[in-house]
Amino acid sequence: MVFDSIIFGYNDKNILNGIYLKIPKGSIVGLYGVNGSGKSTLLKIGCGYLKANDGNIFINQESYYDKPRIKRFQKIAYLSQNSFLPPDLTIKKIILNSGLCEEVFFEDKLVKKLYKEKIKSLSVGELRYFEIKLLFALDREYYLLDEPFSGIAPIMIEQIIELIKKSKTQNKGILITEHYYRYVRQINDTSYILTNGKCHSVDPSNIDAEFLKLGYIAKPKEIT
């Protein structure tokens, strides 16, 4: 999946200005940037919720915009920052109504433990885990995850990381935006930082120095 020369903005002001970003299959791509840099906007363009003002998206060398909307959703799954599950339904009800293979969920110890719980009774981490489990069960080629670790305890983050790593081995292409960049650094194969409407590839072997140069992290204070 390739974002090619993506331009997007409002009222003659561009948020994204010629974005190029590639998500190879079987890889995890980390997308970093400060609040308001346009990370969520880019993901919404990628899944079809927003239309770019200019540029194109290619999936398997075919133009994304040449396909009907329904065809796009057969290739891509998107996790927004807000929950997409009805709060009063139980996990059991959602699984049974999803039409997905139940064995995929029953083999998961955490989902099995929460099977009879309503969505509104789950912790933030449990809810996020189940949402991602659902998305990966859809068998899409590409997954766009918008801040999957936000507000979650470290122990749950580790379990979500294992879900993501397992999906990577199934030849999925995964794009993650996340302020908790140290977690994503553990698993991403490619890193980009979004700043001033531009997307910069970041050298993974020297990522802290790159982040400092681009203003993503602050310079450590000297101890006196």
Side-chain angles (χ1 to χ4, degrees):
M1 182 176 183
V2 177
F3 295 78
D4 187 14
S5 305
I6 296 296
I7 295 174
F8 182 85
Y10 299 102
N11 301 323
D12 298 325
K13 182 179 180 181
N14 287 340
I15 300 169
L16 306 174
N17 197 5
I19 298 296
Y20 177 88
L21 185 148
K22 184 176 182 180
I23 312 170
K25 286 185 179 179
S27 73
I28 298 170
V29 177
L31 177 62
Y32 309 97
V34 298
N35 285 334
S37 60
K39 303 186 304 298
S40 295
T41 298
L42 187 63
L43 265 64
K44 288 175 182 176
I45 291 170
C47 71
Y49 287 167
L50 291 176
K51 177 81 164 60
N53 300 137
D54 202 357
N56 209 336
I57 296 173
F58 295 93
I59 298 177
N60 303 329
Q61 290 78 53
E62 295 181 345
S63 172
Y64 178 91
Y65 292 120
D66 289 343
K67 294 183 177 296
R69 188 181 180 89
I70 188 66
K71 291 287 186 181
R72 302 174 198 171
F73 287 114
Q74 292 174 356
K75 299 286 186 180
I76 299 168
Y78 166 64
L79 179 75
S80 71
Q81 294 182 32
N82 300 316
S83 177
F84 58 87
L85 298 175
D88 288 317
L89 290 186
T90 62
I91 282 184
K92 174 182 177 180
K93 191 72 171 178
I94 289 171
I95 293 172
L96 293 176
N97 289 345
S98 68
L100 299 170
C101 177
E102 294 178 37
E103 291 184 8
V104 173
F105 299 96
F106 295 151
E107 292 170 357
D108 188 298
K109 291 181 180 179
L110 179 58
V111 174
K112 191 173 182 179
K113 174 185 172 184
L114 301 170
Y115 192 57
K116 296 181 179 179
E117 298 289 336
K118 288 186 176 182
I119 293 301
K120 63 184 179 183
S121 68
L122 303 180
S123 71
V124 175
E126 290 167 344
L127 174 58
R128 214 60 171 155
Y129 181 93
F130 181 56
E131 288 175 331
I132 293 171
K133 185 80 177 181
L134 275 174
L135 289 183
F136 285 145
L138 292 174
D139 192 27
R140 301 293 192 259
E141 293 183 31
Y142 298 96
Y143 294 84
L144 311 180
L145 310 180
D146 196 357
E147 298 197 21
F149 307 143
S150 181
I152 297 176
I155 190 169
M156 285 303 305
I157 290 176
E158 294 299 330
Q159 292 189 61
I160 291 172
I161 283 174
E162 289 307 310
L163 274 183
I164 294 170
K165 287 165 63 176
K166 182 178 180 181
S167 189
K168 171 190 168 179
T169 65
Q170 297 168 349
N171 203 35
K172 311 299 184 183
I174 303 167
L175 176 64
I176 305 176
T177 72
E178 186 56 67
H179 287 299
Y180 296 165
Y181 77 96
R182 297 190 185 278
Y183 287 108
V184 183
R185 278 181 52 186
Q186 298 174 21
I187 56 174
N188 70 203
D189 303 289
T190 310
S191 299
Y192 292 88
I193 186 165
L194 191 54
T195 180
N196 297 323
K198 298 288 187 179
C199 207
H200 305 269
S201 178
V202 181
D203 180 1
S205 67
N206 196 27
I207 198 165
D208 280 326
E210 293 283 350
F211 283 173
L212 184 61
K213 181 172 68 177
L214 291 168
Y216 186 66
I217 58 175
K219 184 178 180 180
K221 294 182 179 179
E222 294 183 4
I223 299 175
T224 58

